[in-house]
Amino acid sequence: MSLIAIAGRERLSHIAPPPLRFIGRHLRPLAVPIALLVIWELLARAGAADPRFLPSLEEVVARGVAEFSRGGLGFNLLASLERDLIGFVCGSVAGIALGLAIGFSRLIERLLGPVLLVHRQIALFAWVPLISMWFGGGEAGKIVFIALAAFQPTLINTWQGVSGIPRSYRELADVLTFSWFDFARIIALPGALPQIFTGLHAALIYAWTATVGAELLLNIAPGIGGRMNEGQHLFHMDLLLLCVLLLGGVGVVFNVIAGSLERRLLRWRIP
C-alpha cells in the first residue's frame, strides 16, 4: 500500500461522521456542567455532605416536578420573565436612542460623555436604595432597576459603534452631499449594527441578572426571587437549589437565542 493511501486513511480515521460531529459540537460546552451535577449527586448519595444543606439531585428534580405540576413555580417563572422583558425593552430603547444621539452629535457627546462615563463606574446594585426611595419597592421600582441594567450596555455599545465609523466615510458622505438622515441610514447605522447587537446581547443577560436581584432585594412579589427567599427562610434547600438551576437554565437559553439571532441578522456583514 502506498504512503499516500496510508496517510489518506489515517486522515479519514480522525474525521468523525457528521452526526457524531454535530453531537460533539453541541455537547462539548455541557461537559463541565454535567460533570458538576454528577459530582453533586455522588457526594449526596455517598453521605459526604449534610443532606440538609445539599440534598440529592433526585430530591431537587422531584421538587421541580411537584412545583410545576401544581403550577406555582411556573407562575413565578412567567412573572419574572414578564418583568425582565419589560425592563429590557425600556432600558434598551432608551440606551440605543441616547447612544445614537451622542454618537451623531459632538456637542451632546461633550456635554453628556463625562457624566455617562462616571455613571458607568457605579455598581448597579448601588442604585437599589435610591430606586426604592424614588419608585418604591413594588413593580415600578423593579422594572426601573432592570431597565437601568439594560440601559448601560446598549448605550455604551451604540455610542462606540457610531463613533467608530471611519473618518473617511464621513468625508465621503460630505463629498456626496449626503444629508444627515442619508448618512445615518446608509452609512452610520449599518456600520454600527454589530456593536448595537453586542450591546443588546449583553443587556439581555444583565437584565435577567437584575430581575433576580430586584426580586431578592426589593419587596417580595411573584417571581423566582421571591421563591428563593421562601426557600431560604423556610430552609427548603431543594427549592432554593431548584430556583438556582432554573435561573441558570433560563440565562443559558437567553444567551443561545441572542447569539443565534445576532448571527442570522448580521449575515450580510463582510468578515
Side-chain angles (χ1 to χ4, degrees):
M1 185 179 294
S2 66
L3 292 176
I4 295 177
I6 293 174
R9 181 170 296 181
E10 290 181 354
R11 186 172 64 251
L12 290 174
S13 65
H14 293 290
I15 300 176
L20 294 180
R21 288 204 304 270
F22 178 81
I23 295 173
R25 186 171 66 250
H26 287 78
L27 288 183
R28 196 177 301 118
L30 301 177
V32 173
I34 291 174
L36 291 176
L37 292 177
V38 170
I39 293 172
W40 171 8
E41 184 67 11
L42 291 175
L43 289 175
R45 290 190 175 276
D50 190 335
R52 295 175 299 173
F53 295 97
L54 187 67
S56 67
L57 186 58
E58 181 181 356
E59 294 178 36
V60 175
V61 171
R63 180 64 183 256
V65 172
E67 288 284 341
F68 278 103
S69 63
R70 292 195 299 264
L73 197 57
F75 170 76
N76 284 275
L77 176 60
L78 290 177
S80 293
L81 289 173
E82 180 182 6
R83 191 175 293 126
D84 168 64
L85 293 177
I86 293 174
F88 166 73
V89 171
C90 294
S92 298
V93 170
I96 291 174
L98 187 56
L100 291 174
I102 296 174
F104 283 127
S105 173
R106 298 297 183 189
L107 176 61
I108 298 178
E109 182 177 3
R110 285 194 296 270
L111 291 174
L112 298 182
V115 177
L116 293 171
L117 290 176
V118 171
H119 168 266
R120 191 179 182 183
Q121 308 307 315
I122 301 174
L124 176 64
F125 286 92
W127 293 99
V128 171
L130 193 60
I131 290 174
S132 63
M133 292 294 292
W134 283 351
F135 301 95
E139 199 67 19
K142 292 181 178 67
I143 290 176
V144 168
F145 180 70
I146 299 166
L148 185 63
F151 171 78
Q152 191 176 91
T154 50
L155 165 67
I156 297 300
N157 280 275
T158 303
W159 176 7
Q160 292 178 347
V162 176
S163 299
I165 301 297
R167 185 177 183 84
S168 58
Y169 289 7
R170 299 178 183 270
E171 294 173 352
L172 177 61
D174 292 338
V175 170
L176 297 176
T177 63
F178 277 9
S179 65
W180 178 91
F181 178 77
D182 289 333
F183 171 74
R185 178 175 60 87
I186 299 174
I187 297 177
L189 286 179
L193 272 181
Q195 282 284 92
I196 294 175
F197 279 119
T198 299
L200 288 172
H201 191 161
L204 188 63
I205 305 303
Y206 290 174
W208 181 239
T209 304
T211 299
V212 183
E215 293 173 351
L216 287 171
L217 298 176
L218 298 176
N219 291 343
I220 296 177
I224 297 298
R227 297 307 305 274
M228 293 182 72
N229 277 323
E230 177 188 336
Q232 177 190 5
H233 294 147
L234 300 179
F235 207 76
H236 291 169
M237 287 300 297
D238 53 352
L239 175 61
L240 189 58
L241 289 171
L242 174 64
C243 291
V244 170
L245 292 176
L246 191 59
L247 290 172
V250 172
V252 170
V253 171
F254 278 168
N255 191 53
V256 170
I257 292 175
S260 177
L261 288 175
E262 187 176 352
R263 287 190 298 271
R264 289 178 180 274
L265 294 174
L266 295 179
R267 280 179 177 174
W268 54 268
R269 184 177 52 179
I270 299 175

